Amino acid sequence: MKQSSAKMKKRALPYCLLLPALAFVLVFKIYPLIYCFIQGFHYKGSWSLETFRVLFSNKGFWHSLWVTIKMNLVMTPLQIVLSFLMALLVNQAVRGIGAFRSLYYLPVTISMPVAAICWSLMLSVNNGLANSFIGSWFGIAPQGFFTDANQALWCIVALSTWKGCGYWMMFYLAGLKGIDTSVYEAAKIDGANALQTLWDITIPLVKKTTLFVMVADTSINILLFAPTQLITSGGPSDSTNVLMYEAYKQAFKYGSYEKGAATTCVLVVLILIIVFFQFKLTNQED
Amino acid sequence: MKRFDKKRLGKAGIYLLLVIVLIISLFPIIYPLLSSFRTDNELFENMAPFNWHTIVPIEWTWENYIAIFKEYQFGSYLKNTLIMIALIIPGTIVICSLAAFAFSFYDFKMKKQLFALFLLTFMIPGEAIALPLYSLVNSMGLINTYAGLVLPALANGLVLFLFVQFFSDTPKALLESVEIDGGGWWTSFSRIVLPLSKPILITAGLMVFVNQWNDYLWPLLAARAQEVKVVTVAVANFKEQNVIHWGYIYAASTVSALIPIFIFLPFQKYFVQGITSGGVKG
């Protein structure tokens, strides 16, 4: 009898250890997620698809979705290529490389709102540093940057790439360090040049890292919000009106929580699709 | 001889590239830092034509720093942020290390499913659920309180995985020997697992610090009141109010950027180790 109660206790133990974490996850992560879908499927207090119908029949929504996707199609590959190249660079065995590695990481430690505000001042049309530089040295007329509908989105891409690459570089660096150096020696003996080695050996061997970075980076970039909210407010002429900002505006500017929730649902589904592909691709590898 | 030259040339090329990337990485940090030490007048007068003093101040001044602390209560935002983080770090570490301990050293029913649940929450970034979370926290009456800032941050998937990854390298035999000696789980956890986990504790603590210090959307929604407003939101407000001098913005940005950098640099080795071993292996 005593033994079985001890056994019960032992069986319950792992659940007890998990309980706090599980409780917090259920209340503050899972419940809001479910609640968001419930709210999205409500219209004026009752169950309905009306909110989504209104959302999907709105041209502004499709425009925001397109801006979000367009930004990601450029930004994510750009960040992946640059951070991979940076990792190759800081993987070189030269004196002082550790210091370079840490310094490259510094933009990551700065918060996005702070970076965004500083960039908006440096790229400001009047009295901006960038315009002074290109004007004085190259005689180029002042550019609009964040205030030009054709440039604003790409300025946000530049800002986020500057801030993000150091982070992904670290993952690539770990991937590169994990490659057995004998592979390179074998390639050298076979007479492969540097470019061939890079293309045929290094890139395939960090494929898993690339998959991870691709998915993690995409889901972060899809939710990128601070530069739009702080610098452009979605403009000029909605050119930077990403979906996350649209959801925020719906809920907190126009007071339409249902619409905000429906927009959030679309974002969550987008991310779930990406996560699903990651699982599929990673499992294929194994 | 020729080969030697080629090698040297290669090295020079590497350093050249390293320096170029360094300038791109650091310039947008250093320029605001330098500009925070000058008055707006001086800043604008020297802006064009572009010269050395467009970037480096002629007369250095602390004026901006004095102003943001005296007129704009920047100190109280710093204090609020530090209180929030001081509550989150130990809470997160306790909750996540206990859960990771269960996942790493025990077999139980639903283990796989529960782990998948944590995995899912880790993969959906917090920003995605910020709006519905606001409704929830609002209905609990916790908007504009520390509890509203702290509680949603405690279950941190990333920290949980760091611990799981780290614990998986701890031999189970050590724990079995504790049990044979009649010790309970608490003995194993506090006497064996935790002392071994020092590097991961530092990594997790740093990661939480940097993430919370830089978090924006959640405090923007949940902590707008003066008594709980954090640094990122305060800096953002500077911009929103539109009245502020550029020097003030640069000074506030510099303070907000330097604190995590100074905390990060001494520990960067652990941090990098943690990211690269805990996140995914290549």
Side-chain angles (χ1 to χ4, degrees), chain A residues 3 8 24 26 42 57 68 120 134 136 152 154 161 164 175 188 192 199 210 225 229 260 272 276-277:
Chain A
Q3 213 178 11
M8 277 279 278
F24 277 104
L26 287 178
H42 268 75
S57 63
T68 309
S120 79
I134 60 173
S136 307
W154 311 121
T161 305
K188 217 173 186 179
W199 193 256
T210 305
F225 162 81
Q229 189 239 353
L272 285 178
F276 173 78
F277 274 110

Side-chain angles (χ1 to χ4, degrees), chain A residues 242-253:
Chain A
V242 289
L243 217 47
M244 187 66 213
Y245 183 63
E246 183 65 23
Y248 167 82
K249 258 195 330 199
Q250 295 290 357
F252 290 96
K253 275 202 171 153

Side-chain angles (χ1 to χ4, degrees), chain B residues 15-27:
Chain B
Y15 276 114
L16 185 69
L17 277 174
L18 281 169
V19 169
I20 291 172
V21 179
L22 189 70
I23 291 170
I24 297 171
S25 299
L26 291 194
F27 185 77

Side-chain angles (χ1 to χ4, degrees), chain A residues 216-237:
Chain A
D217 194 21
T218 312
S219 63
I220 288 174
N221 289 341
I222 280 187
L223 297 166
L224 188 67
F225 162 81
T228 304
Q229 189 239 353
L230 285 170
I231 309 176
T232 63
S233 309
S237 43

Side-chain angles (χ1 to χ4, degrees), chain B residues 26-47:
Chain B
L26 291 194
F27 185 77
I29 301 174
I30 289 171
Y31 175 74
L33 172 79
L34 292 171
S35 300
S36 70
F37 289 106
R38 62 204 303 185
T39 62
D40 277 13
N41 269 341
E42 206 222 274
L43 182 72
F44 295 144
E45 270 166 20
N46 292 295
M47 189 57 83

Side-chain angles (χ1 to χ4, degrees), chain A residues 26-98:
Chain A
L26 287 178
V27 174
F28 292 109
K29 299 258 151 74
I30 305 289
Y31 172 75
L33 199 61
I34 295 168
Y35 181 71
C36 165
F37 277 84
I38 293 176
Q39 221 178 14
F41 284 98
H42 268 75
Y43 185 73
K44 291 186 178 156
S46 57
W47 287 91
S48 163
L49 288 172
E50 185 63 15
T51 308
F52 281 103
R53 202 194 60 76
V54 172
L55 192 69
F56 291 153
S57 63
N58 181 358
K59 260 192 183 161
F61 165 80
W62 294 107
H63 177 75
S64 290
L65 184 63
W66 167 237
V67 170
T68 309
I69 291 172
K70 184 166 75 173
M71 186 174 78
N72 266 280
L73 283 178
V74 175
M75 187 154 74
T76 308
L78 182 70
Q79 290 185 358
I80 289 174
V81 170
L82 288 179
S83 48
F84 177 65
L85 292 176
M86 277 166 77
L88 284 179
L89 191 59
V90 295
N91 197 30
Q92 301 294 324
V94 295
R95 198 183 282 249
I97 199 71

Side-chain angles (χ1 to χ4, degrees), chain A residues 10-11 13-15 17-18 20-22 24-33 35-36 39 86 89-90 92-114 117-122 124 126-129 132-133 136-137 162-163 167 170-171 173-175 188 205-206 208-209 212 215 219-220 223 225-226 229-231 244 247-248 251-252 257 260-261 264 267-268 271-272 275 278-279, chain B residues 11 14-15 17-19 21-22 24-29 31-32 44 47-50 54-55 95-96 98-103 106-110 114 117-138 140 151-158 179 185 210 213-217 220-221 224 232 235-236 239-240 246 249-250 253 256-257 260-261 264-265 268 271-272 275-276 279-282:
Chain A
K10 211 181 160 192
R11 212 182 275 166
L13 177 67
Y15 297 106
L17 295 173
L18 271 182
L22 194 63
F24 277 104
V25 161
L26 287 178
V27 174
F28 292 109
K29 299 258 151 74
I30 305 289
Y31 172 75
L33 199 61
Y35 181 71
C36 165
Q39 221 178 14
M86 277 166 77
L89 191 59
V90 295
Q92 301 294 324
V94 295
R95 198 183 282 249
I97 199 71
F100 282 101
R101 224 176 269 166
S102 310
L103 291 171
Y104 288 178
Y105 193 80
L106 289 188
V108 181
T109 63
I110 289 173
S111 71
M112 188 46 116
V114 167
I117 289 168
C118 289
W119 275 59
S120 79
L121 295 187
M122 290 189 283
S124 110
N126 302 312
N127 285 323
L129 179 73
S132 156
F133 178 70
S136 307
W137 284 31
W162 169 75
K163 207 186 116 47
Y167 187 65
M170 289 299 182
F171 290 97
L173 188 63
K188 217 173 186 179
L205 282 176
V206 294
K208 263 195 154 170
T209 312
F212 169 80
V215 174
S219 63
I220 288 174
L223 297 166
F225 162 81
Q229 189 239 353
L230 285 170
I231 309 176
M244 187 66 213
Y248 167 82
F252 290 96
Y257 278 95
T264 307
L267 281 167
V268 170
I271 291 167
L272 285 178
V275 171
Q278 183 202 22
F279 272 114
Chain B
K11 249 191 182 161
I14 288 170
Y15 276 114
L17 277 174
L18 281 169
V19 169
V21 179
L22 189 70
I24 297 171
S25 299
L26 291 194
F27 185 77
I29 301 174
Y31 175 74
F44 295 144
M47 189 57 83
F50 190 87
T54 306
I55 296 169
I95 287 173
C96 294
L98 284 178
F101 183 70
F103 277 126
Y106 295 93
D107 282 315
F108 48 92
K109 267 189 198 154
M110 305 276 288
L114 286 171
L117 187 77
F118 283 106
L119 196 71
L120 182 77
T121 58
F122 162 55
M123 295 214 152
I124 298 176
E127 277 87 359
I129 55 160
L131 302 188
L133 187 62
Y134 177 85
S135 306
L136 172 73
V137 173
N138 193 21
M140 293 169 141
L151 294 178
L154 292 182
N156 185 325
L158 187 59
E179 257 175 48
W185 71 272
V210 173
W213 185 270
N214 292 338
D215 197 15
Y216 175 59
L217 181 55
L220 174 73
L221 304 180
R224 281 186 168 274
T232 43
V235 176
K239 164 88 182 177
E240 281 168 353
W246 285 25
I249 296 181
Y250 282 136
S253 301
S256 129
I261 287 177
F264 166 78
L265 278 183
Q268 59 94 13
F271 193 69
V272 172
I275 287 189
T276 48
V280 260
K281 283 187 173 157

